């Protein structure tokens, strides 16, 4: 399949520029497009064949449901049944934006789109290109992240081209995604709202609107041996992984740097290159290895925005092992560490504090 690449300037564009892509969606074809979180791989959510194509293009297991993207709140009535008031309160507070709600699905949504489940995930993106594309197409757009299954999500059109060129009909290049981590997912089908995936909208922000909200157990787990089943089917799969094994090093900054520097020396002696995921504040402290700066510790948003891009960058370098600093202590820490832990297959190296030695 020949993939057409259409460049759009997010700051200033006419809806006509999206008409060819919108037509593709109406015809059951696949269009990758930017959103404020990550790029999405879109198809008509009401067309079971289009959904099946999405799974195929990504190489995604068919029990892993897709998020349906909408441009107006009234779409909720067509996609879901028994919509609780809480959904409208959340929509008022956070839509359009990086929040996905799980609701009981309406019979109109094919089970191919929902991975066989009786619930449906719905999100209204705020990115102007995504919003205009959905409006223009006149369909609801099922869209998982636009990466090959298992790889880091895509935050730039270059990443999408790398993973999906020749596998989708159109890729819209709208520049870098501003947030860089996928949406927060909240399940509203149970008695207490449950966060199935942490994201840019934090638990505290949700609690302000909902009163009570809890994390699904699987979100908080810190090791693969903890035997909890993820309620978001996608969260059970190995994910985001760079090609080389990745280890997260936890401890005080100076200790982490000392440890990684020592490992880099050892590896170099064996002819192996060490990849290092560092920050603006620490990057100059590393004396060997191949250092990539993910963002600024003082600016958690910059780390979220740079994470997937940095994980992908290692793949082009031939490093044989990667060490990453830890980010638990910043405001987006829950979401960042959730992705990083998965990328690392939960491999954490915990350094003892000096005083404990
Ligand atoms: O920010 C985002 O959410 C991006 C952009 C493109 O909107 N999309 C995205 O989709 O991250 P995806 O498919 O990569 O991740 C969707 C997650 C998966 O873990 C999936 O299992 C879960 O949402 N999910 C979807 N429908 C669900 C449902 N009915 N019940 C529970 N989990 C669901
Ligand atoms: Mg994904």
């Amino acid at each position: 399949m020949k993939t057409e690449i259409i460049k759009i300037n997010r700051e200033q564009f006419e809806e006509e520029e999206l008409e060819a892509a919108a037509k593709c969606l109406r015809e059951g074809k696949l269009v990758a497009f930017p959103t404020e979180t990550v790029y999405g791989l879109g198809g008509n959510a009401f067309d079971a064949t289009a959904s099946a194509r999405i799974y195929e293009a990504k190489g995604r297991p068919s029990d892993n449901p897709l998020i349906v993207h909408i441009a107006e709140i009234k779409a909720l009535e067509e996609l879901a049944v028994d919509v609780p008031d809480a959904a409208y309160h959340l929509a008022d507070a956070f839509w359009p934006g990086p929040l996905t709600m799980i609701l009981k699905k309406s019979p109109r949504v094919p089970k191919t789109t929902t991975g066989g489940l009786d619930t449906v995930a719905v999100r209204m993106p705020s990115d102007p290109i995504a919003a205009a594309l959905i409006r223009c197409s006149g369909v609801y757009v099922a869209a998982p992240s636009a990466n090959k299954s298992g790889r880091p999500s895509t935050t730039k059109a270059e990443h999408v081209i790398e993973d999906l060129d020749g596998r989708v009909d159109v890729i819209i290049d709208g520049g870098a995604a501003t947030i860089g981590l996928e949406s927060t997912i909240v399940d509203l089908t149970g008695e207490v709202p449950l966060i199935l995936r942490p994201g840019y909208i934090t638990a505290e922000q949700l609690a302000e609107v909902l009163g009570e909200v809890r994390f699904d157990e699987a979100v908080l787990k810190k090791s693969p041996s903890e035997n909890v089943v993820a309620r978001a089917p996608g969260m059970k799969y190995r994910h985001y992984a760079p090609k080389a094994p990745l280890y997260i090093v936890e401890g005080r900054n100076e200790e982490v740097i000392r440890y990684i520097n020592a490992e880099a020396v050892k590896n170099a002696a064996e002819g192996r290159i060490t990849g290092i995921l560092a920050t603006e504040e620490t990057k100059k402290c590393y004396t060997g290895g191949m250092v990539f700066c993910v963002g600024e510790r003082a600016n958690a948003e910059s780390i979220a925005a740079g994470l997937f891009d940095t994980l992908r960058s290692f793949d082009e370098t031939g490093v044989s092992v990667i060490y990453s600093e830890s980010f638990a202590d910043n405001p987006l820490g829950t979401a960042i560490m959730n992705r990083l832990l998965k990328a690392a297959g939960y491999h954490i190296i915990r350094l003892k504090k000096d005083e404990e030695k």
Side-chain angles (χ1 to χ4, degrees), residues 15-267:
E15 284 207 359
E16 289 161 19
E17 295 173 59
L18 290 168
E19 191 38 58
K23 181 161 172 280
C24 281
L25 287 173
R26 282 194 293 277
E27 289 170 351
K29 295 180 177 164
L30 303 189
V31 177
F33 61 98
T35 84
E36 71 278 22
T37 56
V38 298
Y39 272 73
L41 166 54
N44 178 357
F46 280 165
D47 178 346
T49 317
S51 295
R53 283 199 188 122
I54 293 176
Y55 289 97
E56 198 191 321
K58 267 184 76 96
R60 178 172 179 137
S62 60
D63 68 345
N64 190 359
L66 310 176
I67 296 176
V68 181
H69 294 67
I70 62 176
E72 294 172 349
I73 291 188
K74 69 175 198 297
L76 277 184
E77 287 146 40
E78 275 189 86
L79 292 165
V81 293
D82 302 339
V83 179
D85 289 344
Y88 292 101
H89 297 150
L90 287 177
D92 270 350
F94 302 115
W95 276 1
L99 179 72
T100 296
M101 298 185 217
I102 309 289
L103 300 162
K104 283 192 201 151
K105 93 172 187 67
S106 109
R108 291 192 60 193
V109 184
K111 283 219 171 165
T112 331
T113 300
T114 64
L117 298 178
D118 291 321
T119 52
V120 61
V122 189
R123 172 163 115 79
M124 189 195 292
S126 62
D127 181 281
I129 298 174
L133 176 69
I134 301 165
R135 246 194 334 265
C136 234
S137 70
V139 302
Y140 303 132
V141 181
S145 49
N147 51 283
K148 274 265 192 69
S149 191
R151 297 214 67 209
S153 301
T154 49
T155 55
K156 294 175 175 170
E158 297 90 284
H159 305 158
V160 185
I161 294 168
E162 206 171 274
D163 278 18
L164 298 174
D165 191 25
R167 305 175 75 89
V168 301
D169 298 280
V170 175
I171 295 173
I172 298 176
D173 178 353
T178 47
I179 293 178
L181 296 180
E182 311 89 334
S183 60
T184 306
I185 302 181
V186 61
D187 184 347
L188 298 177
T189 63
E191 258 170 37
V192 177
L194 268 188
I195 297 173
L196 307 191
R197 181 173 71 184
Y200 188 79
I201 308 278
T202 62
E204 291 73 25
Q205 286 176 292
L206 293 175
E208 269 175 39
V209 176
L210 295 170
E212 194 181 5
V213 60
R214 292 190 200 143
F215 280 104
D216 178 28
E217 267 183 277
V219 171
L220 299 175
K221 80 172 188 173
K222 275 202 136 188
S223 108
S225 57
E226 284 175 52
N227 204 5
V228 282
V229 177
R231 280 170 194 261
M235 301 303 277
K236 76 182 177 217
Y237 294 107
R238 180 154 156 79
H239 227 141
Y240 313 126
K243 289 178 189 146
L246 166 66
Y247 297 89
I248 302 168
V249 188
E250 268 184 12
R252 287 190 303 134
N253 259 354
E254 316 82 84
E255 287 178 304
V256 169
I257 292 162
R258 204 184 314 140
Y259 177 87
I260 296 177
N261 278 336
E263 288 303 304
V265 171
K266 268 193 253 166
N267 289 334

Side-chain angles (χ1 to χ4, degrees), residues 317-341:
T317 59
V319 296
S320 26
V321 58
I322 305 165
Y323 293 99
S324 171
E325 296 176 10
S326 173
F327 301 97
D329 55 353
N330 73 52
L332 285 173
T334 313
I336 294 169
M337 287 306 287
N338 171 267
R339 309 308 193 274
L340 198 54
L341 275 163

